[in-house]
Amino acid sequence: DRAGIIEPFNSFPVWVWDFNNDGIEDIFIAGYTGSTSSYMRHAAGERFKNSPETFGHFIGKGDLKFVNNASKHGLDGPVLTMGANFGDLNNDGFLDFYLGTGQPDIAELVPNQMFLNNEGMKVNDITMSIGMGHLQKGHAISFADFDNDGDQDVFQQMGGAKKVDKFRDALYANPGFNNNWIKIRLEGVQSNRSAVGAKIKITLDQGNQHIYRSINTGGSFGANSLQQHIGIGSITIIDELEIFWPTSNVTQTFRNIRPNQSIQIREGEKSYKMNDEPLFSYDVYLED
């Protein structure tokens, strides 16, 4: 209550991220209210009076104070979120998210939903335009560059609570958005080897733009890789990369890094090494 985080009461996945890249972490809570009927009515433009909070999007203001900007960000519709996770779908540096929806009742079919972060100001529901509105029950979700082509794909474990409600899993191959990126894998020495809890700060455009990441596995009912995939839009050089290790209180700084490569950084070392990630093609596995 002191932090201002009270609702939604009916909720499921929760995660911590920096939605607007201001260096202060925010909290996302996906609600668990509504039905197929209420979703369809909302999609048709109907708005409900006295409807329960369906999302909590608490923007950090510092000193453990938060403001719920869910409605302001366009998150005001009914949702039945089971699993969810986040990643940078279009490599613009702002984190997007995908919701796996459903409930035990096999009669409920609500499309899984993909939301694109609009520069930390709001989100846009791009579910139908991008072809990710799968109707089957969605659970574990993971963002990762499965084919190593420089953009994050999305894997989703499908199927409901009952045996008759099972379905094949889904893997959405990202067509690409022609933006630049960098992959960063950290290895702790004094800190835990997986680097969980370490902080990344990227400075771009001569100090006019920053991107922040914390090493974690993302949302719930699924997990992302601990390797960080960070888009930088059309910018062609990373001015500065800072890694902060909270256990050892060490900050490593690297400058003038070219994008579109995968690097590995070991805690305390003065240089990084490049990782070789060969391309993988989905084509050989596609059915005729």
Side-chain angles (χ1 to χ4, degrees), residues 7-81:
E7 50 193 17
F9 295 106
N10 297 322
S11 58
F12 228 135
V14 178
W15 63 67
V16 176
W17 63 350
D18 191 343
F19 172 76
N20 52 7
N21 280 327
D22 65 352
I24 303 173
E25 291 188 321
D26 313 305
I27 298 175
F28 177 90
I29 305 173
Y32 195 71
T33 59
S35 63
T36 302
S37 174
S38 62
Y39 173 86
M40 293 176 64
R41 289 160 60 194
H42 184 272
E46 184 176 347
R47 295 298 179 263
F48 311 102
K49 292 183 179 180
N50 302 319
S51 61
E53 288 286 345
T54 56
F55 289 93
H57 198 197
F58 295 91
I59 302 302
K61 299 299 181 181
D63 195 27
L64 291 179
K65 294 181 180 178
F66 297 84
V67 175
N68 189 359
N69 281 354
S71 294
K72 180 180 178 180
H73 290 162
L75 295 168
D76 58 358
V79 64
L80 289 167
T81 310

Side-chain angles (χ1 to χ4, degrees), residues 91 142-155 171-174 181 183 224-225 227 229 262 277-280 282:
N91 278 339
S142 178
F143 282 73
D145 186 5
F146 288 97
D147 53 357
N148 290 327
D149 66 347
D151 48 52
Q152 289 190 299
D153 312 298
V154 181
F155 174 81
L171 175 59
Y172 299 97
N174 193 328
W181 50 273
K183 297 180 188 178
N224 289 338
S225 169
Q227 174 177 270
H229 181 120
S262 176
E277 295 188 344
L279 285 173
F280 167 83
Y282 293 121

Side-chain angles (χ1 to χ4, degrees), residues 18 21-25 182-187 194-195 197-203 210-216 225-230 232 238 240-246 250-252 254 257 263 265:
D18 191 343
N21 280 327
D22 65 352
I24 303 173
E25 291 188 321
I182 189 166
K183 297 180 188 178
I184 304 170
R185 183 179 295 276
L186 302 182
E187 180 183 340
S194 298
K199 309 287 186 182
I200 295 175
K201 177 183 177 182
I202 287 179
T203 300
H210 298 94
I211 298 173
Y212 298 88
R213 294 287 187 271
S214 296
I215 308 301
N216 58 53
S225 169
L226 294 176
Q227 174 177 270
Q228 297 299 296
H229 181 120
I230 304 174
I232 62 170
I238 296 171
E240 190 172 83
L241 167 63
E242 294 179 53
I243 312 296
F244 174 68
W245 302 86
V250 168
T251 299
Q252 292 168 275
F254 306 91
I257 303 171
I263 65 175
I265 299 173

Side-chain angles (χ1 to χ4, degrees), residues 58-275:
F58 295 91
I59 302 302
K61 299 299 181 181
D63 195 27
L64 291 179
K65 294 181 180 178
F66 297 84
V67 175
N68 189 359
N69 281 354
S71 294
K72 180 180 178 180
H73 290 162
L75 295 168
D76 58 358
V79 64
L80 289 167
T81 310
M82 296 288 288
N85 222 322
F86 58 86
D88 188 358
L89 197 69
N90 59 350
N91 278 339
D92 68 344
F94 291 91
L95 292 168
D96 317 302
F97 60 97
Y98 189 49
L99 305 180
T101 61
Q103 61 166 278
D105 186 351
I106 62 174
E108 294 290 354
L109 288 177
V110 178
N112 298 272
Q113 295 176 268
M114 181 70 220
F115 291 89
L116 197 69
N117 185 337
N118 188 353
E119 298 184 347
M121 303 299 293
K122 62 177 296 184
V123 299
N124 297 322
D125 186 343
I126 61 169
T127 304
M128 300 307 173
S129 63
I130 205 169
M132 295 179 70
H134 205 307
L135 280 176
Q136 297 299 324
K137 311 294 172 60
H139 282 86
I141 292 173
S142 178
F143 282 73
D145 186 5
F146 288 97
D147 53 357
N148 290 327
D149 66 347
D151 48 52
Q152 289 190 299
D153 312 298
V154 181
F155 174 81
Q156 183 175 28
Q157 186 271 323
M158 310 299 296
K162 299 179 175 63
K163 289 184 178 180
V164 296
D165 204 13
K166 62 183 179 180
F167 203 81
R168 291 182 296 178
D169 297 340
L171 175 59
Y172 299 97
N174 193 328
F177 290 81
N178 296 319
N179 281 330
N180 296 320
W181 50 273
I182 189 166
K183 297 180 188 178
I184 304 170
R185 183 179 295 276
L186 302 182
E187 180 183 340
V189 178
Q190 294 186 51
S191 306
N192 64 89
R193 187 173 182 181
S194 298
V196 172
K199 309 287 186 182
I200 295 175
K201 177 183 177 182
I202 287 179
T203 300
L204 306 167
D205 192 22
Q206 298 181 342
N208 292 314
Q209 182 180 349
H210 298 94
I211 298 173
Y212 298 88
R213 294 287 187 271
S214 296
I215 308 301
N216 58 53
T217 57
S220 59
F221 274 42
N224 289 338
S225 169
L226 294 176
Q227 174 177 270
Q228 297 299 296
H229 181 120
I230 304 174
I232 62 170
S234 60
I235 291 176
T236 57
I237 194 72
I238 296 171
D239 297 335
E240 190 172 83
L241 167 63
E242 294 179 53
I243 312 296
F244 174 68
W245 302 86
T247 299
S248 59
N249 199 32
V250 168
T251 299
Q252 292 168 275
T253 304
F254 306 91
R255 294 182 175 87
N256 299 321
I257 303 171
R258 63 177 178 84
N260 304 332
Q261 63 172 327
S262 176
I263 65 175
Q264 183 166 340
I265 299 173
R266 198 163 187 260
E267 182 179 8
E269 295 190 354
K270 294 182 179 180
S271 60
Y272 59 83
K273 67 178 183 179
M274 291 181 288
N275 293 325

